């Protein structure tokens, strides 16, 4: 009887762990799909809408603060490469996880306009930078920088091969 109880408890904990991993993957997939829209299986889309639908909608309306919540719910626990007993460590009060969040937020800020640029570039076969700058309410130099960032982010980087 004790063995069957232990089997039920271990099965329940495995299911709970699996559900937690599923929620983490859905949060990270929600982030990834806002940066790079791609076709997902319908069941995955339904799960994202059920679990993260309100957050994805807020992101699509320009609320960048939602990324913090999705990042913390989906990211793994980061380990510090150094052991520090100093409370004023370079990682801050939240440790390496907070440092990774700052790096992630920098990347989010850099890619903030990419979906808007992508939609304009799909709409127009050719468009002068001056006209695009007017649509985006930006200076031409800023638009040029955004386009270069867009091009840079979309380039495929070569992968290293192990020998």
């Amino acid at each position: 009887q004790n063995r069957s109880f232990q089997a039920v408890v271990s099965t329940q904990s495995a299911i709970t762990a699996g559900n937690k991993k599923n929620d983490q993957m859905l949060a990270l997939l929600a982030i990834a799909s806002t940066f790079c829209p791609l076709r997902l299986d319908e069941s995955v889309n339904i799960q994202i809408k059920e679990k993260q639908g309100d957050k994805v909608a807020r992101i699509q309306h320009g609320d960048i603060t939602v990324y913090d919540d999705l990042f913390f719910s989906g990211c793994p626990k980061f380990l510090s490469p150094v052991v520090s007993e100093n409370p004023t460590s370079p990682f801050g009060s939240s440790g390496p996880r907070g440092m990774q969040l700052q790096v992630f937020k920098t990347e989010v800020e850099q890619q903030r306009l990419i979906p808007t640029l992508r939609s304009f570039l799909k709409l127009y076969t050719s468009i002068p930078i001056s006209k695009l700058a007017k649509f985006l309410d930006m200076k031409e130099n800023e638009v040029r920088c955004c386009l270069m960032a867009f091009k840079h982010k979309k380039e495929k980087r070569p992968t290293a091969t192990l020998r």
Side-chain angles (χ1 to χ4, degrees):
Q1 191 177 33
N2 192 20
R3 286 185 194 174
S4 63
F5 177 73
Q6 289 175 345
V8 168
V9 169
S10 67
T11 303
Q12 287 175 343
S13 64
I15 290 171
T16 304
N19 287 339
K20 183 179 178 184
K21 284 295 177 195
N22 188 43
D23 291 345
Q24 286 178 314
M25 287 188 293
L26 289 175
L28 294 175
L29 193 54
I31 290 171
S33 66
T34 60
F35 284 132
C36 184
L38 43 105
R39 293 188 190 270
L40 297 172
D41 187 60
E42 189 62 31
S43 63
V44 175
N45 275 332
I46 291 170
Q47 286 183 31
I48 289 174
K49 286 179 184 175
E50 286 175 358
K51 301 276 184 177
Q52 309 293 347
D54 58 330
K55 294 176 184 173
V56 171
R58 287 175 40 203
I59 286 173
Q60 289 172 344
H61 291 304
D63 188 1
I64 297 177
T65 59
V66 180
Y67 283 110
D68 295 2
D69 186 35
L70 285 173
F71 182 80
F72 272 130
S73 65
C75 75
K77 307 293 186 260
F78 295 102
L79 299 176
S80 173
V82 295
V83 177
S84 174
E85 295 178 14
N86 184 1
T88 60
S89 73
F91 298 118
S93 60
S94 59
R97 198 171 191 200
M99 187 173 165
Q100 288 296 325
L101 176 64
Q102 291 303 318
V103 171
F104 175 72
K105 286 169 79 172
T106 302
E107 187 70 22
V108 166
E109 188 59 37
Q110 289 175 355
Q111 294 196 19
R112 182 175 52 88
L113 290 176
I114 287 180
T116 308
L117 281 173
R118 185 184 300 117
S119 65
F120 277 118
L121 294 176
K122 283 182 180 179
L123 186 62
Y124 293 96
T125 55
S126 66
I127 182 172
I129 292 180
S130 59
K131 187 174 182 178
L132 187 59
K134 287 179 186 176
F135 285 150
L136 295 171
D137 195 27
M138 297 172 66
K139 296 178 182 175
E140 286 186 36
N141 286 340
E142 292 173 347
V143 172
R144 190 173 282 112
C145 288
C146 288
L147 287 170
M148 292 304 291
F150 177 69
K151 179 182 175 186
H152 173 72
K153 297 291 181 188
K154 297 303 165 198
E155 285 181 357
K156 291 185 178 183
R157 295 191 174 98
T159 57
T161 57
L162 298 175
R163 294 180 190 215

